[in-house]
Amino acid sequence: MAANKRGDEIVTVGLVGLGKMGKPMAMNLVKAGLQVVVSSATEDAYQEFIAKGARATSDLGEVARADTIILCLPNSDVVRSVLLGADGLAARLQRGQTVVDTSTITYAATLEIGEALAKRGIAFIDAPVSGMEARAVEGTLTVMCGGSDEVFGRVRPLLAHVGNKILHMGGIGSGQLTKLINQLLFDINCAALAEILPMAAKMGLDCARVAEVVNSGTGRSYASEFFVPRVLDGGFSVGYPMQDAYKDLVSGAEIGARLCIPMPVLAAATATYQMALLQGHGAKDKGAMIRVFEDLLGVRFRAAEGPAHVGES
C-alpha cells in the first residue's frame, strides 16, 4: 500500500500530464499544501513545480508511490498507454490505490480502463473537467465524476482544490458521458455561430453591433460570449485546437450509431467542423469554424467600419 496517509485523507498526489489544464490543476494541488509529484511527456514545467516544493519526474514508478494518481492527458490512446502499457502505471500500483482520470476520453475506453484496474484491486473514477484554462488556473472547474459512492467520497475533497462544482453522475463512465453531452452542445453552438454570423457581414451590417446584440439578446451562449469578441479581432488561438477536440464529435457519432439515436443537428455541426479541418484550420480554436462560411461568402466578420470583405483582417 502507498504510505503517507492520515486516516482516510489523501496526502500525496501524483499528477501525470502538464498541459493547458493539467499544469494549473497540479499547481492548485501544490498550493493546497499537498505533497505532489508531477510527470509529463516534456520537462518544460518541471523547474516551476520544484521551485514550489513539488517533486517532478519522468519516472512513472515514482508517481505510482502516491496515494492517488490523477491523469490529465490528451486522448484515449495516451491514457491507455500511461495506465495499461507495458511500462504503465497499472503494473506498478498496489491494491487499494486510486486513479482519477480527468482526461476527456471515450466512454468505451473508460469502461475498459475501469475494468482492467478493478481486476488489480485499484479504485478508479472518471472525472473529466469543464471550464477551459482560465478556470483551471482559478480552481473553479466543473468536475463530472463516474464511479462508486465510496471512491467519489474519498476523492471529492481532493477535487475540490481544482474545481468548485464537483458532481457525482453515477457509475464508471458517467462522468465522460456527461462531459460529452456538454461538449456536443458547445460544438453545435460554435457551428451555428460560424454559419450565421457571416451572413451579417454579407448583408452589410456592422459586425461589432451585431455581436453586441447577439451577446445581450436571446441568441447568446457561452460559445458566443467567448468566441465572438475574439472573432471580431481576428483571433483564433485562445481555445482548444479543433484537431484535438474533434474526438468529441467522433464519440457522439459512435454512440448515436450504436444506440440508434438520431442527432441531425449534431451531424450538421460535425460537417461544419470537418470542413474547417479539411481547409487547414485544425490548429486554431473552434471560433475558426467561421472561416469556412466567411470564405464561401467572400466576407470577414470583423470589427470594422461597414462590411469586411476578404482581403481585410
Side-chain angles (χ1 to χ4, degrees), residues 19 111 146 235 285:
L111 296 181
D285 61 37

Side-chain angles (χ1 to χ4, degrees), residues 9 12 16 21-22 25 41 54 61 80 92 154 169 183 192 202 246 266 268 298 302:
E9 182 184 356
T12 60
V16 182
M21 302 297 283
M25 289 166 60
R80 280 195 190 95
R92 306 164 189 254
R154 192 163 69 239
M169 306 308 302
Q183 289 303 110
K202 184 70 172 179
Y246 182 60
L266 177 61
R302 303 289 182 272

